[in-house]
mmCIF file of all heavy atoms in Angstrom:
data_model
loop_
_atom_site.group_PDB
_atom_site.id
_atom_site.type_symbol
_atom_site.label_atom_id
_atom_site.label_comp_id
_atom_site.label_asym_id
_atom_site.label_seq_id
_atom_site.Cartn_x
_atom_site.Cartn_y
_atom_site.Cartn_z
ATOM 1 N N GLY A 1 -3.224 -24.735 -37.056
ATOM 2 C CA GLY A 1 -3.428 -26.139 -36.636
ATOM 3 C C GLY A 1 -3.387 -27.121 -37.788
ATOM 4 O O GLY A 1 -2.738 -26.878 -38.778
ATOM 5 N N PRO A 2 -4.101 -28.221 -37.625
ATOM 6 C CA PRO A 2 -4.022 -29.275 -38.633
ATOM 7 C C PRO A 2 -4.565 -28.915 -40.002
ATOM 8 O O PRO A 2 -4.276 -29.544 -40.999
ATOM 9 C CB PRO A 2 -4.836 -30.446 -38.020
ATOM 10 C CG PRO A 2 -5.685 -29.798 -36.966
ATOM 11 C CD PRO A 2 -4.958 -28.577 -36.501
ATOM 12 N N GLU A 3 -5.352 -27.836 -40.051
ATOM 13 C CA GLU A 3 -5.910 -27.394 -41.338
ATOM 14 C C GLU A 3 -5.028 -26.410 -42.062
ATOM 15 O O GLU A 3 -5.291 -26.023 -43.167
ATOM 16 C CB GLU A 3 -7.305 -26.765 -41.122
ATOM 17 C CG GLU A 3 -8.289 -27.779 -40.629
ATOM 18 C CD GLU A 3 -9.603 -27.134 -40.307
ATOM 19 O OE1 GLU A 3 -9.722 -25.900 -40.144
ATOM 20 O OE2 GLU A 3 -10.586 -27.899 -40.233
ATOM 21 N N TRP A 4 -3.882 -26.018 -41.441
ATOM 22 C CA TRP A 4 -3.003 -25.043 -41.999
ATOM 23 C C TRP A 4 -2.444 -25.510 -43.338
ATOM 24 O O TRP A 4 -1.899 -26.638 -43.431
ATOM 25 C CB TRP A 4 -1.861 -24.728 -41.029
ATOM 26 C CG TRP A 4 -1.037 -23.564 -41.461
ATOM 27 C CD1 TRP A 4 -1.435 -22.311 -41.809
ATOM 28 C CD2 TRP A 4 0.395 -23.544 -41.565
ATOM 29 N NE1 TRP A 4 -0.365 -21.518 -42.141
ATOM 30 C CE2 TRP A 4 0.769 -22.253 -41.965
ATOM 31 C CE3 TRP A 4 1.392 -24.464 -41.318
ATOM 32 C CZ2 TRP A 4 2.094 -21.875 -42.169
ATOM 33 C CZ3 TRP A 4 2.698 -24.106 -41.511
ATOM 34 C CH2 TRP A 4 3.042 -22.808 -41.942
ATOM 35 N N LEU A 5 -2.558 -24.696 -44.344
ATOM 36 C CA LEU A 5 -2.145 -24.992 -45.736
ATOM 37 C C LEU A 5 -2.784 -26.195 -46.375
ATOM 38 O O LEU A 5 -2.292 -26.702 -47.376
ATOM 39 C CB LEU A 5 -0.587 -25.122 -45.805
ATOM 40 C CG LEU A 5 0.188 -23.864 -45.436
ATOM 41 C CD1 LEU A 5 1.690 -24.171 -45.521
ATOM 42 C CD2 LEU A 5 -0.151 -22.684 -46.299
ATOM 43 N N GLN A 6 -3.909 -26.642 -45.819
ATOM 44 C CA GLN A 6 -4.674 -27.745 -46.409
ATOM 45 C C GLN A 6 -5.696 -27.161 -47.371
ATOM 46 O O GLN A 6 -6.167 -26.041 -47.187
ATOM 47 C CB GLN A 6 -5.308 -28.601 -45.329
ATOM 48 C CG GLN A 6 -4.328 -29.256 -44.397
ATOM 49 C CD GLN A 6 -3.400 -30.209 -45.180
ATOM 50 O OE1 GLN A 6 -3.832 -31.028 -45.962
ATOM 51 N NE2 GLN A 6 -2.108 -30.027 -44.950
ATOM 52 N N PRO A 7 -6.140 -27.940 -48.362
ATOM 53 C CA PRO A 7 -7.190 -27.471 -49.248
ATOM 54 C C PRO A 7 -8.433 -27.031 -48.421
ATOM 55 O O PRO A 7 -8.766 -27.656 -47.422
ATOM 56 C CB PRO A 7 -7.499 -28.645 -50.136
ATOM 57 C CG PRO A 7 -6.241 -29.466 -50.115
ATOM 58 C CD PRO A 7 -5.654 -29.271 -48.747
ATOM 59 N N ILE A 8 -9.097 -26.008 -48.882
ATOM 60 C CA ILE A 8 -10.237 -25.478 -48.108
ATOM 61 C C ILE A 8 -11.605 -25.860 -48.668
ATOM 62 O O ILE A 8 -12.614 -25.494 -48.102
ATOM 63 C CB ILE A 8 -10.132 -23.952 -47.972
ATOM 64 C CG1 ILE A 8 -10.207 -23.272 -49.381
ATOM 65 C CG2 ILE A 8 -8.884 -23.553 -47.232
ATOM 66 C CD1 ILE A 8 -10.350 -21.775 -49.311
ATOM 67 N N GLN A 9 -11.590 -26.601 -49.775
ATOM 68 C CA GLN A 9 -12.879 -26.897 -50.413
ATOM 69 C C GLN A 9 -13.911 -27.587 -49.510
ATOM 70 O O GLN A 9 -15.059 -27.261 -49.490
ATOM 71 C CB GLN A 9 -12.697 -27.715 -51.718
ATOM 72 C CG GLN A 9 -12.044 -26.986 -52.826
ATOM 73 C CD GLN A 9 -10.531 -27.114 -52.863
ATOM 74 O OE1 GLN A 9 -9.875 -27.250 -51.829
ATOM 75 N NE2 GLN A 9 -9.951 -27.021 -54.050
ATOM 76 N N GLY A 10 -13.438 -28.553 -48.704
ATOM 77 C CA GLY A 10 -14.329 -29.267 -47.818
ATOM 78 C C GLY A 10 -14.913 -28.363 -46.756
ATOM 79 O O GLY A 10 -16.145 -28.422 -46.463
ATOM 80 N N ARG A 11 -14.094 -27.502 -46.182
ATOM 81 C CA ARG A 11 -14.565 -26.550 -45.195
ATOM 82 C C ARG A 11 -15.546 -25.525 -45.802
ATOM 83 O O ARG A 11 -16.540 -25.177 -45.186
ATOM 84 C CB ARG A 11 -13.413 -25.809 -44.485
ATOM 85 C CG ARG A 11 -12.659 -26.723 -43.558
ATOM 86 C CD ARG A 11 -11.476 -26.047 -42.926
ATOM 87 N NE ARG A 11 -10.348 -26.113 -43.875
ATOM 88 C CZ ARG A 11 -9.380 -25.264 -43.968
ATOM 89 N NH1 ARG A 11 -9.326 -24.197 -43.198
ATOM 90 N NH2 ARG A 11 -8.406 -25.434 -44.858
ATOM 91 N N LEU A 12 -15.263 -25.129 -47.017
ATOM 92 C CA LEU A 12 -16.134 -24.193 -47.712
ATOM 93 C C LEU A 12 -17.470 -24.847 -48.014
ATOM 94 O O LEU A 12 -18.524 -24.222 -47.882
ATOM 95 C CB LEU A 12 -15.491 -23.716 -49.021
ATOM 96 C CG LEU A 12 -14.437 -22.659 -48.921
ATOM 97 C CD1 LEU A 12 -13.756 -22.440 -50.271
ATOM 98 C CD2 LEU A 12 -14.980 -21.375 -48.372
ATOM 99 N N ALA A 13 -17.462 -26.122 -48.431
ATOM 100 C CA ALA A 13 -18.711 -26.836 -48.706
ATOM 101 C C ALA A 13 -19.594 -26.916 -47.461
ATOM 102 O O ALA A 13 -20.794 -26.764 -47.532
ATOM 103 C CB ALA A 13 -18.408 -28.200 -49.286
ATOM 104 N N ALA A 14 -18.940 -27.165 -46.315
ATOM 105 C CA ALA A 14 -19.723 -27.279 -45.083
ATOM 106 C C ALA A 14 -20.256 -25.904 -44.644
ATOM 107 O O ALA A 14 -21.408 -25.799 -44.199
ATOM 108 C CB ALA A 14 -18.853 -27.876 -43.966
ATOM 109 N N ALA A 15 -19.443 -24.882 -44.779
ATOM 110 C CA ALA A 15 -19.849 -23.559 -44.309
ATOM 111 C C ALA A 15 -20.731 -22.812 -45.303
ATOM 112 O O ALA A 15 -21.593 -22.002 -44.904
ATOM 113 C CB ALA A 15 -18.627 -22.736 -44.039
ATOM 114 N N HIS A 16 -20.537 -23.104 -46.601
ATOM 115 C CA HIS A 16 -21.296 -22.405 -47.640
ATOM 116 C C HIS A 16 -21.791 -23.417 -48.679
ATOM 117 O O HIS A 16 -21.235 -23.538 -49.766
ATOM 118 C CB HIS A 16 -20.377 -21.336 -48.311
ATOM 119 C CG HIS A 16 -19.834 -20.357 -47.359
ATOM 120 N ND1 HIS A 16 -20.563 -19.311 -46.849
ATOM 121 C CD2 HIS A 16 -18.612 -20.291 -46.808
ATOM 122 C CE1 HIS A 16 -19.819 -18.636 -46.018
ATOM 123 N NE2 HIS A 16 -18.605 -19.182 -45.984
ATOM 124 N N PRO A 17 -22.792 -24.166 -48.384
ATOM 125 C CA PRO A 17 -23.289 -25.259 -49.259
ATOM 126 C C PRO A 17 -23.784 -24.683 -50.631
ATOM 127 O O PRO A 17 -23.907 -25.471 -51.572
ATOM 128 C CB PRO A 17 -24.393 -25.928 -48.513
ATOM 129 C CG PRO A 17 -24.752 -24.997 -47.411
ATOM 130 C CD PRO A 17 -23.607 -24.087 -47.164
ATOM 131 N N ASN A 18 -24.013 -23.394 -50.707
ATOM 132 C CA ASN A 18 -24.501 -22.822 -51.998
ATOM 133 C C ASN A 18 -23.386 -22.679 -53.013
ATOM 134 O O ASN A 18 -23.652 -22.462 -54.195
ATOM 135 C CB ASN A 18 -25.162 -21.436 -51.725
ATOM 136 C CG ASN A 18 -24.206 -20.518 -51.016
ATOM 137 O OD1 ASN A 18 -23.485 -20.889 -50.097
ATOM 138 N ND2 ASN A 18 -24.223 -19.245 -51.415
ATOM 139 N N LEU A 19 -22.121 -22.804 -52.621
ATOM 140 C CA LEU A 19 -21.002 -22.721 -53.544
ATOM 141 C C LEU A 19 -20.844 -24.026 -54.286
ATOM 142 O O LEU A 19 -20.873 -25.084 -53.707
ATOM 143 C CB LEU A 19 -19.702 -22.389 -52.824
ATOM 144 C CG LEU A 19 -19.631 -21.015 -52.097
ATOM 145 C CD1 LEU A 19 -18.319 -20.947 -51.330
ATOM 146 C CD2 LEU A 19 -19.736 -19.897 -53.101
ATOM 147 N N ASP A 20 -20.627 -23.926 -55.614
ATOM 148 C CA ASP A 20 -20.396 -25.152 -56.353
ATOM 149 C C ASP A 20 -18.886 -25.470 -56.332
ATOM 150 O O ASP A 20 -18.085 -24.688 -55.872
ATOM 151 C CB ASP A 20 -20.948 -25.083 -57.820
ATOM 152 C CG ASP A 20 -20.281 -24.023 -58.663
ATOM 153 O OD1 ASP A 20 -19.087 -23.742 -58.491
ATOM 154 O OD2 ASP A 20 -20.979 -23.468 -59.542
ATOM 155 N N ALA A 21 -18.530 -26.622 -56.904
ATOM 156 C CA ALA A 21 -17.139 -27.067 -56.861
ATOM 157 C C ALA A 21 -16.195 -26.082 -57.495
ATOM 158 O O ALA A 21 -15.065 -25.839 -57.000
ATOM 159 C CB ALA A 21 -17.011 -28.445 -57.502
ATOM 160 N N SER A 22 -16.550 -25.484 -58.636
ATOM 161 C CA SER A 22 -15.647 -24.540 -59.318
ATOM 162 C C SER A 22 -15.447 -23.297 -58.491
ATOM 163 O O SER A 22 -14.368 -22.752 -58.454
ATOM 164 C CB SER A 22 -16.155 -24.208 -60.735
ATOM 165 O OG SER A 22 -17.374 -23.512 -60.662
ATOM 166 N N GLN A 23 -16.473 -22.846 -57.791
ATOM 167 C CA GLN A 23 -16.345 -21.686 -56.908
ATOM 168 C C GLN A 23 -15.465 -22.018 -55.706
ATOM 169 O O GLN A 23 -14.606 -21.195 -55.314
ATOM 170 C CB GLN A 23 -17.731 -21.215 -56.427
ATOM 171 C CG GLN A 23 -18.566 -20.620 -57.517
ATOM 172 C CD GLN A 23 -19.986 -20.377 -57.045
ATOM 173 O OE1 GLN A 23 -20.626 -21.254 -56.418
ATOM 174 N NE2 GLN A 23 -20.534 -19.188 -57.323
ATOM 175 N N ARG A 24 -15.614 -23.185 -55.154
ATOM 176 C CA ARG A 24 -14.750 -23.593 -54.035
ATOM 177 C C ARG A 24 -13.302 -23.706 -54.477
ATOM 178 O O ARG A 24 -12.352 -23.316 -53.787
ATOM 179 C CB ARG A 24 -15.250 -24.905 -53.438
ATOM 180 C CG ARG A 24 -16.600 -24.759 -52.710
ATOM 181 C CD ARG A 24 -16.980 -25.992 -51.925
ATOM 182 N NE ARG A 24 -16.979 -27.232 -52.709
ATOM 183 C CZ ARG A 24 -18.058 -27.699 -53.322
ATOM 184 N NH1 ARG A 24 -19.244 -27.120 -53.198
ATOM 185 N NH2 ARG A 24 -17.978 -28.838 -53.962
ATOM 186 N N ASP A 25 -13.083 -24.238 -55.700
ATOM 187 C CA ASP A 25 -11.752 -24.356 -56.224
ATOM 188 C C ASP A 25 -11.125 -22.981 -56.440
ATOM 189 O O ASP A 25 -9.950 -22.759 -56.135
ATOM 190 C CB ASP A 25 -11.747 -25.129 -57.546
ATOM 191 C CG ASP A 25 -11.998 -26.614 -57.381
ATOM 192 O OD1 ASP A 25 -11.891 -27.125 -56.263
ATOM 193 O OD2 ASP A 25 -12.337 -27.264 -58.420
ATOM 194 N N ALA A 26 -11.913 -22.038 -56.931
ATOM 195 C CA ALA A 26 -11.417 -20.715 -57.217
ATOM 196 C C ALA A 26 -11.051 -19.985 -55.893
ATOM 197 O O ALA A 26 -10.039 -19.314 -55.810
ATOM 198 C CB ALA A 26 -12.442 -19.867 -57.926
ATOM 199 N N LEU A 27 -11.837 -20.213 -54.836
ATOM 200 C CA LEU A 27 -11.506 -19.640 -53.517
ATOM 201 C C LEU A 27 -10.281 -20.290 -52.907
ATOM 202 O O LEU A 27 -9.510 -19.593 -52.257
ATOM 203 C CB LEU A 27 -12.742 -19.752 -52.607
ATOM 204 C CG LEU A 27 -13.885 -18.838 -52.964
ATOM 205 C CD1 LEU A 27 -15.112 -19.176 -52.130
ATOM 206 C CD2 LEU A 27 -13.506 -17.377 -52.781
ATOM 207 N N ASP A 28 -10.076 -21.562 -53.144
ATOM 208 C CA ASP A 28 -8.845 -22.217 -52.691
ATOM 209 C C ASP A 28 -7.643 -21.570 -53.357
ATOM 210 O O ASP A 28 -6.643 -21.315 -52.704
ATOM 211 C CB ASP A 28 -8.892 -23.731 -52.961
ATOM 212 C CG ASP A 28 -7.691 -24.468 -52.420
ATOM 213 O OD1 ASP A 28 -7.532 -24.482 -51.176
ATOM 214 O OD2 ASP A 28 -6.881 -24.945 -53.211
ATOM 215 N N VAL A 29 -7.714 -21.382 -54.665
ATOM 216 C CA VAL A 29 -6.616 -20.731 -55.403
ATOM 217 C C VAL A 29 -6.361 -19.333 -54.844
ATOM 218 O O VAL A 29 -5.219 -18.919 -54.604
ATOM 219 C CB VAL A 29 -6.905 -20.701 -56.887
ATOM 220 C CG1 VAL A 29 -5.923 -19.815 -57.664
ATOM 221 C CG2 VAL A 29 -6.881 -22.114 -57.478
ATOM 222 N N LEU A 30 -7.433 -18.584 -54.634
ATOM 223 C CA LEU A 30 -7.291 -17.199 -54.091
ATOM 224 C C LEU A 30 -6.651 -17.242 -52.706
ATOM 225 O O LEU A 30 -5.767 -16.413 -52.439
ATOM 226 C CB LEU A 30 -8.651 -16.543 -54.029
ATOM 227 C CG LEU A 30 -8.683 -15.112 -53.463
ATOM 228 C CD1 LEU A 30 -7.807 -14.187 -54.285
ATOM 229 C CD2 LEU A 30 -10.076 -14.615 -53.330
ATOM 230 N N ALA A 31 -7.045 -18.173 -51.881
ATOM 231 C CA ALA A 31 -6.436 -18.269 -50.535
ATOM 232 C C ALA A 31 -4.945 -18.564 -50.649
ATOM 233 O O ALA A 31 -4.135 -17.933 -49.920
ATOM 234 C CB ALA A 31 -7.145 -19.352 -49.733
ATOM 235 N N ARG A 32 -4.562 -19.456 -51.482
ATOM 236 C CA ARG A 32 -3.160 -19.805 -51.633
ATOM 237 C C ARG A 32 -2.364 -18.621 -52.232
ATOM 238 O O ARG A 32 -1.250 -18.355 -51.812
ATOM 239 C CB ARG A 32 -2.995 -21.037 -52.494
ATOM 240 C CG ARG A 32 -3.513 -22.287 -51.792
ATOM 241 C CD ARG A 32 -3.420 -23.550 -52.621
ATOM 242 N NE ARG A 32 -4.066 -24.658 -51.924
ATOM 243 C CZ ARG A 32 -3.533 -25.324 -50.914
ATOM 244 N NH1 ARG A 32 -2.292 -25.000 -50.501
ATOM 245 N NH2 ARG A 32 -4.143 -26.330 -50.342
ATOM 246 N N GLN A 33 -2.948 -17.924 -53.163
ATOM 247 C CA GLN A 33 -2.300 -16.733 -53.730
ATOM 248 C C GLN A 33 -2.109 -15.653 -52.653
ATOM 249 O O GLN A 33 -1.087 -14.952 -52.619
ATOM 250 C CB GLN A 33 -3.112 -16.203 -54.923
ATOM 251 C CG GLN A 33 -3.032 -17.066 -56.132
ATOM 252 C CD GLN A 33 -3.994 -16.613 -57.226
ATOM 253 O OE1 GLN A 33 -4.925 -15.867 -56.984
ATOM 254 N NE2 GLN A 33 -3.737 -17.079 -58.453
ATOM 255 N N THR A 34 -3.139 -15.498 -51.834
ATOM 256 C CA THR A 34 -3.084 -14.519 -50.764
ATOM 257 C C THR A 34 -1.979 -14.844 -49.756
ATOM 258 O O THR A 34 -1.218 -13.962 -49.355
ATOM 259 C CB THR A 34 -4.469 -14.392 -50.076
ATOM 260 O OG1 THR A 34 -5.434 -14.081 -51.101
ATOM 261 C CG2 THR A 34 -4.465 -13.296 -49.010
ATOM 262 N N ILE A 35 -1.887 -16.108 -49.385
ATOM 263 C CA ILE A 35 -0.833 -16.505 -48.451
ATOM 264 C C ILE A 35 0.545 -16.216 -49.094
ATOM 265 O O ILE A 35 1.429 -15.717 -48.443
ATOM 266 C CB ILE A 35 -0.998 -18.013 -48.109
ATOM 267 C CG1 ILE A 35 -2.255 -18.189 -47.225
ATOM 268 C CG2 ILE A 35 0.265 -18.556 -47.362
ATOM 269 C CD1 ILE A 35 -2.687 -19.638 -47.068
ATOM 270 N N GLY A 36 0.721 -16.567 -50.369
ATOM 271 C CA GLY A 36 1.959 -16.302 -51.005
ATOM 272 C C GLY A 36 2.310 -14.836 -51.103
ATOM 273 O O GLY A 36 3.443 -14.386 -50.905
ATOM 274 N N ALA A 37 1.298 -14.037 -51.428
ATOM 275 C CA ALA A 37 1.491 -12.585 -51.508
ATOM 276 C C ALA A 37 1.858 -12.033 -50.149
ATOM 277 O O ALA A 37 2.709 -11.103 -50.035
ATOM 278 C CB ALA A 37 0.227 -11.908 -52.033
ATOM 279 N N GLY A 38 1.289 -12.552 -49.052
ATOM 280 C CA GLY A 38 1.622 -12.087 -47.739
ATOM 281 C C GLY A 38 3.066 -12.399 -47.392
ATOM 282 O O GLY A 38 3.790 -11.516 -46.849
ATOM 283 N N ARG A 39 3.536 -13.595 -47.705
ATOM 284 C CA ARG A 39 4.930 -13.909 -47.461
ATOM 285 C C ARG A 39 5.856 -13.021 -48.256
ATOM 286 O O ARG A 39 6.879 -12.542 -47.731
ATOM 287 C CB ARG A 39 5.173 -15.378 -47.772
ATOM 288 C CG ARG A 39 4.570 -16.295 -46.689
ATOM 289 C CD ARG A 39 5.019 -17.713 -46.896
ATOM 290 N NE ARG A 39 4.600 -18.198 -48.196
ATOM 291 C CZ ARG A 39 3.939 -19.338 -48.414
ATOM 292 N NH1 ARG A 39 3.647 -20.120 -47.395
ATOM 293 N NH2 ARG A 39 3.542 -19.700 -49.584
ATOM 294 N N GLU A 40 5.551 -12.822 -49.516
ATOM 295 C CA GLU A 40 6.384 -11.977 -50.376
ATOM 296 C C GLU A 40 6.415 -10.523 -49.864
ATOM 297 O O GLU A 40 7.446 -9.887 -49.870
ATOM 298 C CB GLU A 40 5.915 -12.040 -51.814
ATOM 299 C CG GLU A 40 6.252 -13.344 -52.524
ATOM 300 C CD GLU A 40 7.720 -13.670 -52.533
ATOM 301 O OE1 GLU A 40 8.515 -12.751 -52.846
ATOM 302 O OE2 GLU A 40 8.103 -14.800 -52.223
ATOM 303 N N ALA A 41 5.250 -10.029 -49.480
ATOM 304 C CA ALA A 41 5.180 -8.637 -48.981
ATOM 305 C C ALA A 41 6.047 -8.489 -47.735
ATOM 306 O O ALA A 41 6.791 -7.485 -47.586
ATOM 307 C CB ALA A 41 3.708 -8.254 -48.685
ATOM 308 N N LEU A 42 5.938 -9.441 -46.820
ATOM 309 C CA LEU A 42 6.754 -9.374 -45.604
ATOM 310 C C LEU A 42 8.251 -9.486 -45.941
ATOM 311 O O LEU A 42 9.055 -8.745 -45.359
ATOM 312 C CB LEU A 42 6.300 -10.465 -44.628
ATOM 313 C CG LEU A 42 6.908 -10.371 -43.252
ATOM 314 C CD1 LEU A 42 6.544 -9.059 -42.560
ATOM 315 C CD2 LEU A 42 6.484 -11.548 -42.400
ATOM 316 N N LEU A 43 8.623 -10.391 -46.805
ATOM 317 C CA LEU A 43 10.019 -10.504 -47.218
ATOM 318 C C LEU A 43 10.530 -9.204 -47.792
ATOM 319 O O LEU A 43 11.652 -8.764 -47.457
ATOM 320 C CB LEU A 43 10.195 -11.622 -48.246
ATOM 321 C CG LEU A 43 10.437 -13.001 -47.730
ATOM 322 C CD1 LEU A 43 10.423 -14.007 -48.873
ATOM 323 C CD2 LEU A 43 11.703 -13.065 -47.001
ATOM 324 N N ASP A 44 9.754 -8.590 -48.677
ATOM 325 C CA ASP A 44 10.164 -7.320 -49.253
ATOM 326 C C ASP A 44 10.389 -6.236 -48.231
ATOM 327 O O ASP A 44 11.348 -5.493 -48.248
ATOM 328 C CB ASP A 44 9.135 -6.850 -50.315
ATOM 329 C CG ASP A 44 9.134 -7.680 -51.550
ATOM 330 O OD1 ASP A 44 10.107 -8.443 -51.773
ATOM 331 O OD2 ASP A 44 8.127 -7.597 -52.306
#
């Protein structure tokens, strides 16, 4: 839906207020890397 491929930091902050900004940023990077790895794995 509308959140597809959008940054996740805001959603993470709402769902997990204990995470600081650097942790939310790291999880956003991990999510994007995971999506890319999924596409590459399927292509292969």
Side-chain angles (χ1 to χ4, degrees):
E3 295 177 340
W4 189 51
L5 295 180
Q6 296 301 310
I8 62 171
Q9 290 91 330
R11 287 178 277 152
L12 284 171
H16 304 282
N18 56 319
L19 296 175
D20 64 32
S22 65
Q23 291 170 313
R24 292 189 305 266
D25 289 344
L27 289 171
D28 183 67
V29 169
L30 178 62
R32 292 177 185 282
Q33 289 172 341
T34 303
I35 291 167
R39 286 189 298 232
E40 287 301 316
L42 188 61
L43 271 174
D44 290 344

